[in-house]
Amino acid sequence: MNRVRTRFAPSPTGYMHIGNLRTALYAYLFAKSQGGDFILRIEDTDRARYVADAVDFIERTLAAAKIIPDEGPHHGGAFAPYVQSERMDIYKKYAEQLVADGHAYYEESENGVAIRQKMPRVGETTFFDVLHGNITIANAELEDQILLKSDGMPTYNFANVIDDHLMEVSHIIRGTEFITSTPKHVLLYQYFGWELPTFIHLAPVMGKAEDGSISKLSKRHGATSFNDLIEMGYLAEAITNYVALLGWSPKNSCQEIFTMEELIKNFSLDGLSKSPAVFDYAKLDWMSGEYFKAMSDENFACAAEKYLADFDAPRKVFLSSLLKTRVAKLSDIPEMIAFLKNLPPFDAELFTNKRNKITPEKSAEIIAPAIKLLEAVDDWELDALNGKISAFVQESGLKVGTVMWPLRIALSMQKVTPGGVTEILYLLGKEKSLARLNLALEKLR
């Protein structure tokens, strides 16, 4: 068996959308699962759509997703250069060979001379696709496509065939939108007498709108690029894991959380689906949450540093222990901890809790002695606070929930908080905690 070689060949015209990332990921996983090579090639011949920093962005995105090329613009390789605009002489040579062999012709225009591929007018062109089987298109439907434009730039449909052959690409993994172009590519392989690669055309990634309608994933469905999701606070590893499952599933396994090494070990082409996959934010949230739960408190604190900058090191790590089991993405954090920075407006109704038979009046009766108790605490650390509050509950003769409810509300003005009363006391510190309790007592009386 010849060595498996796959490629990801993006145009530097924008950011890395989820569909592009999935294509790169599947090409990488298949190559690595077979002990082969993964190539990054930049197809930059469409200069009108060229974005200056897009190549760097693509490479940074692949690195963040742990998709590491064996060959590419900044990785070297035996088939360099890996940027199409640096391969112009190669394309010119092969285009002129097709003209000489009668498979292409020169076409003059006001802008200069171009070269077009001469399509057969009768018969059919058939190729095999791993997911879709044999695909046949009548040659009469194929237009004479431009191979080399009048400015000397090759078209995608020509350059990618030349490069895939010269770079010994064995398997071409790309989206179904290229199926209708593939017969033109197959004819070029035949004209040159080259062996065809294996084609795998992936079904599209779809998005679900608020009205429930399904359409190809686009910005109207929300964040659609890897970078967008990173900016929202999803972990790169979680995004990559989730994208891997958008159209692929491991055989004989219900596993959903994979390291990159496990993805490589389990990946196979027969696990791919020819049906479109739907991008589901709820599923991504769940998966991302699983990654956060598995992190150490210290690592979570590092990941969430920009959101936790107001806390000292011990409180930062402690707060991370409370947050990492509750967040789906890091951008959830500001809303969760906003009450620690700024106390929400006072609302007496929040103190009412029928389950624990708590009223605003009863709350004041609990808060007053709690203030006196806490004023005498010198060691404002979690263990000491736990001991003091536990003793306070025992001495009151009340249920734990009855005591904790008014204290939680007074400290946070929220029914739900990350952590309970002692955790909030510790995070706020003595001065701020007592100020909030005294304010609540004043408002309730």
Side-chain angles (χ1 to χ4, degrees):
M1 177 181 174
N2 293 331
R3 186 174 181 83
V4 169
R5 288 173 60 82
T6 65
R7 49 76 162 173
F8 176 54
S11 298
T13 56
Y15 298 122
M16 183 83 78
H17 292 274
I18 293 301
N20 300 131
L21 179 67
R22 187 186 64 165
T23 298
L25 179 59
Y26 286 175
Y28 174 76
L29 293 176
F30 179 62
K32 296 295 103 179
S33 71
Q34 301 300 308
D37 305 314
F38 172 69
I39 304 163
L40 172 63
R41 186 174 72 228
I42 302 299
E43 300 193 340
D44 64 340
T45 56
D46 187 351
R47 305 306 290 181
R49 298 176 59 216
Y50 180 80
V51 176
D53 65 343
V55 174
D56 288 341
F57 191 91
I58 288 167
E59 293 186 323
R60 290 197 305 271
T61 299
L62 292 177
K66 301 296 189 293
I67 301 172
I68 310 302
D70 296 291
E71 302 170 24
H74 295 107
H75 295 82
F79 302 96
Y82 293 92
V83 178
Q84 285 188 337
S85 60
E86 300 173 12
R87 299 170 62 83
M88 306 301 291
D89 291 344
I90 296 173
Y91 308 130
K92 184 174 185 290
K93 167 192 167 185
Y94 283 100
E96 290 176 343
Q97 179 182 327
L98 288 174
V99 173
D101 292 343
H103 297 305
Y105 57 90
Y106 294 108
E107 177 183 71
E108 291 189 18
S109 70
E110 59 182 24
N111 296 319
V113 178
I115 296 180
R116 279 189 183 270
Q117 180 179 354
K118 185 185 295 184
M119 298 295 181
R121 301 303 177 210
V122 297
E124 300 172 328
T125 297
T126 299
F127 67 93
F128 177 78
D129 180 276
V130 170
L131 289 179
H132 306 280
N134 285 324
I135 296 175
T136 300
I137 294 182
N139 291 332
E141 297 179 14
L142 305 177
E143 297 180 353
D144 288 5
Q145 66 173 349
I146 292 178
L147 303 178
L148 220 59
K149 293 179 280 189
S150 56
D151 63 0
M153 282 287 183
T155 59
Y156 162 81
N157 285 322
F158 182 54
N160 92 89
V161 169
I162 302 302
D163 289 342
D164 285 339
H165 172 73
L166 295 181
M167 295 179 183
E168 300 180 2
V169 172
S170 64
H171 292 73
I172 295 176
I173 300 176
R174 59 192 178 193
T176 52
E177 65 268 25
F178 292 104
I179 284 180
T180 55
S181 302
T182 302
K184 302 174 185 179
H185 306 164
V186 169
L187 287 169
L188 287 171
Y189 277 97
Q190 292 174 353
Y191 293 160
F192 286 118
W194 295 340
E195 182 181 351
L196 284 175
T198 300
F199 294 103
I200 305 102
H201 288 93
L202 305 171
V205 179
M206 312 297 280
K208 181 184 286 188
E210 290 183 2
D211 62 3
S213 61
I214 303 292
S215 58
K216 191 168 183 180
L217 188 66
S218 66
K219 288 192 174 182
R220 76 189 190 95
H221 298 112
T224 59
S225 77
F226 181 86
N227 190 60
D228 288 341
L229 296 173
I230 291 292
E231 288 296 315
M232 290 173 69
Y234 291 103
L235 285 178
E237 297 92 330
I239 300 169
T240 302
N241 190 160
Y242 178 67
V243 169
L245 299 177
L246 284 174
W248 170 81
S249 58
K251 293 297 181 183
N252 305 315
S253 173
C254 296
Q255 183 177 348
E256 292 187 286
I257 305 297
F258 292 88
T259 63
M260 181 61 82
E261 291 73 21
E262 289 172 330
L263 284 172
I264 291 170
K265 181 180 178 181
N266 285 274
F267 191 83
S268 63
L269 296 179
D270 60 2
L272 294 172
S273 171
K274 64 180 179 180
S275 300
V278 178
F279 191 92
D280 183 351
Y281 275 99
K283 185 62 178 288
L284 175 59
D285 285 351
W286 170 81
M287 185 168 288
S288 180
E290 293 301 300
Y291 272 80
F292 286 132
K293 290 173 187 174
M295 293 175 76
S296 69
D297 298 343
E298 291 77 12
N299 286 345
F300 185 92
C302 287
E305 171 63 32
K306 71 176 182 178
Y307 301 112
L308 307 179
D310 291 342
F311 300 91
D312 62 23
R315 285 174 173 77
K316 199 175 293 184
V317 173
F318 176 69
L319 183 53
S320 293
S321 72
L322 302 177
L323 293 172
K324 72 177 188 178
T325 60
R326 292 170 167 82
V327 301
K329 53 189 181 298
L330 295 175
S331 58
D332 294 337
I333 293 174
E335 184 177 353
M336 287 185 173
I337 66 173
F339 76 93
L340 291 171
K341 297 179 182 180
N342 298 292
L343 184 66
F346 182 83
D347 182 357
E349 288 302 314
L350 290 175
F351 289 90
T352 300
N353 185 313
K354 293 181 179 179
R355 179 182 177 185
N356 289 315
K357 298 179 181 179
I358 298 291
T359 63
E361 294 76 18
K362 182 67 173 177
S363 295
E365 294 176 7
I366 293 171
I367 293 172
I371 291 174
K372 290 182 179 180
L373 171 75
L374 292 170
E375 284 176 338
V377 176
D378 294 322
D379 182 16
W380 202 268
E381 296 297 330
L382 194 60
D383 288 344
L385 291 168
N386 271 321
K388 293 292 185 183
I389 294 297
S390 296
F392 177 70
V393 171
Q394 191 171 2
E395 290 170 9
S396 72
L398 300 172
K399 293 181 179 179
V400 173
T402 302
V403 175
M404 295 302 187
W405 182 265
L407 295 179
R408 180 200 296 268
I409 299 300
L411 291 166
S412 69
M413 281 296 145
Q414 295 188 175
K415 293 182 178 180
V416 179
T417 56
V421 170
T422 53
E423 287 85 357
I424 298 172
L425 288 168
Y426 171 65
L427 291 167
L428 287 174
K430 184 173 183 178
E431 182 179 349
K432 190 177 287 188
S433 295
L434 290 172
R436 291 187 177 193
L437 291 170
N438 277 302
L439 176 63
L441 184 59
E442 178 186 338
K443 295 281 189 181
L444 289 169
R445 281 178 167 173

